[in-house]
Amino acid sequence: MEESNGNNVIKGLTWTFAERIMAQLVSTIVTIILARILDPAHYGIISIVTVFISICDVFVTSGFNSAVVQKKNVTETTFNTAFIISFTISIILYIILFISAPCISEFYNMPELIAIIRVMGLRLPLAAYNSIQQAEIQRSMKFKKFFIRTSVGTIISAFVGIALALSGFGVWALVGQYLTNSIVDSIMLQVLGIWKPSLRFSIKEAKEIYSFGWKVLLTNVVSTLETDIRSLIIGKVFSASDLAYYDQGKKYPSLLVYNVNNAVNKVMLPAYSKKQDDIIGLKNMLRKSIRVGMFILAPILIGFALVSENFVHLILTDKWLLAVPYMQIFCFVYITRPLESSCHQALLAIGRSGTVLKIITIIQIFSFMTVMVAVFIFKSVLLIAAGLLLSTLVSLTGFMLMTWKYLGYSLKEQLQDILPTIIVALIMGGAVWAVSYLGFSILATFIIQILLGAIIYILLSYVFRLQAFD
């Protein structure tokens, strides 16, 4: 049984990493192409709309999906009950968005927001269906289906977005890409999934889903609100272009983190949940996932922070240079994310959703305070991003302490699992930074930095026998 579960985890990670690598490759190429065609103001408009969609999306998908994955025994009725709850919420929220679109447009003095909000909001009912379908696939750990779904959806939506941008549709190119991805995802999940929606509903199942899910939901609501309030404030107090630089600076580091971190977490939550009665086994699995996540992300983020200016010059063009400081800040904001999110998932797996909610609430209150100081005292968008570094320290402390308390994963063991990788990555970063002083062209410097960084990191990992490398 132990060996079978281990094989499922390995297969799951393999397919999920393949899915994320493919998605990252296509998404990055499309993002770069669209960034070269469209203006920063276009991205600023979409960023504002995305905030409202994201907040609604949390109510539709969060909590119920995790409750279905974490639940020990599920039936067809469990899935359908969760779906009916999510779908009902999605319809209510879409109606609210549809009605409130003119008010939002007037608040930001952007008439084009009305139509964009109403069209992009159509994603919500699709998200309700997708989240439960994904929970079924995630529980059975058939992650190859995620790979197929993501491949088709990402590629088709990429062509749609680029075609619309080249045809002069401006901001609607981003809308088209966004909505096409959701539609194709829904179709592919219907084709690939085993579960089919029906009207089976159980009050008993609803209560069980709610008892676990509401804490996860509230946790994600708090987290999303805090994150998205930044965008709302920047878009209102500053300008759409300022918001575009902030979001573009966040986009590339978060793309790297999302692809690696979500790949690990998507597999590990059901794997952790199977170990919820075996704390020692869960702890050992948790340590491995943290080592692997840190081993992959630390050098990528440190390296990207150092080559970000050359990246913008060469890839995005000079009109995006103001996004460079944000890229560098977000690289360091995300560097410990594997430890935070893995501990988060492990605590959920043992039913400690209330503990996670408390940690997230403390983090978001602290983070909101840094936003208020940055906006109303210093009037600086850059300091809004910098405040996230302090919030990361609070988050890291909270999750490390709670994992120690409930899983016996001591602070010493946690530092042993992350510090060797960070030290090796920093040494690699020093070599990458030194290349910029050798006087080569921007293109030559960029290529040398990437190749040299990869070679040095692999060699040092071998020399120092990093466990994740083995």
Side-chain angles (χ1 to χ4, degrees):
M1 186 68 180
E2 180 78 22
E3 185 177 351
S4 175
N5 190 43
N7 288 336
N8 285 335
V9 171
I10 292 170
K11 288 178 182 177
L13 285 172
T14 301
W15 278 113
T16 311
F17 273 124
E19 175 217 350
R20 289 294 91 210
I21 290 169
M22 187 285 305
Q24 179 178 341
L25 182 62
V26 176
S27 298
T28 302
I29 292 171
V30 174
T31 300
I32 289 168
I33 293 172
L34 293 179
R36 294 176 72 92
I37 298 172
L38 303 176
D39 295 327
H42 292 142
Y43 279 90
I45 293 169
I46 287 297
S47 295
I48 292 171
V49 177
T50 303
V51 167
F52 293 97
I53 303 297
S54 297
I55 292 171
C56 293
D57 202 35
V58 172
F59 287 94
V60 173
T61 62
S62 296
F64 309 116
N65 175 295
S66 296
V68 172
V69 174
Q70 191 268 349
K71 201 169 183 288
K72 281 186 179 181
N73 300 307
V74 297
T75 64
E76 193 75 12
T77 304
T78 307
F79 288 107
N80 283 293
T81 300
F83 169 68
I84 290 170
I85 295 171
S86 295
F87 189 77
T88 303
I89 292 172
S90 73
I91 297 299
I92 294 170
L93 289 174
Y94 178 71
I95 293 171
I96 293 172
L97 271 182
F98 191 94
I99 295 171
S100 61
C103 297
I104 298 171
S105 173
E106 184 178 349
F107 181 76
Y108 284 98
N109 195 26
M110 296 178 182
E112 60 268 49
L113 286 182
I114 298 175
I116 295 173
I117 288 173
R118 288 173 172 175
V119 172
M120 287 182 66
L122 292 170
R123 179 188 183 279
L124 294 175
L126 297 174
Y129 168 75
N130 291 350
S131 68
I132 306 304
Q133 192 69 273
Q134 289 172 17
E136 187 276 325
I137 295 173
Q138 202 172 341
R139 272 191 68 88
S140 58
M141 301 190 79
K142 296 177 180 177
F143 292 98
K144 182 179 179 180
K145 293 182 178 182
F146 278 127
F147 175 79
I148 297 171
R149 178 212 67 173
T150 302
S151 300
V152 176
T154 304
I155 292 171
I156 292 177
S157 64
F159 279 112
V160 170
I162 293 172
L164 290 174
L166 291 173
S167 300
F169 282 87
V171 68
W172 286 99
L174 298 170
V175 176
Q177 181 196 11
Y178 180 87
L179 203 56
T180 301
N181 205 343
S182 296
I183 292 170
V184 175
D185 272 0
S186 299
I187 294 172
M188 293 305 300
L189 284 170
Q190 178 67 27
V191 172
L192 297 170
I194 299 172
W195 168 76
K196 307 298 179 188
S198 70
L199 294 179
R200 295 184 196 173
F201 186 85
S202 165
I203 297 295
K204 179 176 179 292
E205 292 281 3
K207 288 180 179 178
E208 290 180 2
I209 291 170
Y210 173 79
S211 67
F212 177 86
W214 77 268
K215 295 172 186 174
V216 179
L217 171 61
L218 190 55
T219 298
N220 290 334
V221 167
V222 171
S223 180
T224 302
L225 280 174
E226 186 276 327
T227 300
D228 289 341
I229 279 174
R230 286 186 175 81
S231 296
L232 292 176
I233 291 173
I234 294 170
K236 178 61 179 176
V237 177
F238 299 94
S239 69
S241 294
D242 286 321
L243 177 56
Y245 294 129
Y246 174 90
D247 278 354
Q248 198 75 355
K250 178 182 178 182
K251 179 179 293 182
Y252 294 95
S254 65
L255 186 66
L256 297 169
V257 172
Y258 173 83
N259 283 296
V260 174
N261 215 40
N262 279 28
V264 173
N265 287 338
K266 191 181 289 183
V267 177
M268 297 317 294
L269 177 56
Y272 291 154
S273 296
K274 288 180 172 61
K275 291 274 190 181
Q276 58 187 273
D277 297 323
D278 176 12
I279 296 298
I280 294 175
L282 193 155
K283 173 186 166 182
N284 291 333
M285 190 178 290
L286 171 63
R287 295 189 70 177
K288 289 179 182 178
S289 66
I290 289 172
R291 290 188 203 120
V292 170
M294 287 298 299
F295 180 78
I296 296 170
L297 276 180
I300 292 175
L301 290 173
I302 290 174
F304 187 71
L306 293 167
V307 305
S308 56
E309 186 171 350
N310 288 339
F311 170 81
V312 171
H313 276 299
L314 293 168
I315 309 298
L316 300 182
T317 72
D318 289 357
K319 67 182 177 183
W320 288 104
L321 278 174
L322 290 177
V324 171
Y326 300 107
M327 290 182 184
Q328 294 169 336
I329 289 171
F330 278 108
C331 282
F332 289 98
V333 166
Y334 292 137
I335 199 166
T336 57
R337 191 56 54 87
L339 188 145
E340 296 166 70
S341 56
S342 292
C343 291
H344 182 159
Q345 296 298 315
L347 289 170
L348 288 180
I350 60 173
R352 290 287 174 181
S353 53
T355 300
V356 172
L357 174 59
K358 291 175 185 176
I359 297 171
I360 295 296
T361 302
I362 292 170
I363 295 166
Q364 306 318 330
I365 291 172
F366 179 83
S367 185
F368 182 73
M369 290 169 58
T370 66
V371 173
M372 294 298 100
V373 171
V375 172
F376 296 108
I377 296 180
F378 294 100
K379 295 180 172 31
S380 169
V381 181
L382 195 61
L383 282 180
I384 294 177
L388 284 168
L389 288 169
L390 296 176
S391 299
T392 297
L393 292 176
V394 175
S395 172
L396 193 62
T397 302
F399 280 111
M400 289 175 76
L401 289 175
M402 290 303 102
T403 310
W404 182 11
K405 178 178 179 179
Y406 292 111
L407 295 175
Y409 185 17
S410 70
L411 298 180
K412 180 181 178 181
E413 289 173 319
Q414 293 177 54
L415 292 176
Q416 286 174 342
D417 289 338
I418 65 172
L419 281 183
T421 295
I422 292 177
I423 292 170
V424 169
L426 287 173
I427 295 172
M428 174 217 71
V432 169
W433 174 72
V435 173
S436 61
Y437 290 92
L438 296 180
F440 296 116
S441 67
I442 292 177
L443 178 59
T445 299
F446 186 64
I447 293 172
I448 293 171
Q449 285 177 318
I450 293 173
L451 294 177
L452 182 65
I455 292 169
I456 289 177
Y457 186 71
I458 292 171
L459 286 176
L460 289 177
S461 299
Y462 175 76
V463 170
F464 289 107
R465 292 286 191 271
L466 294 187
Q467 287 177 299
F469 179 71
D470 292 335

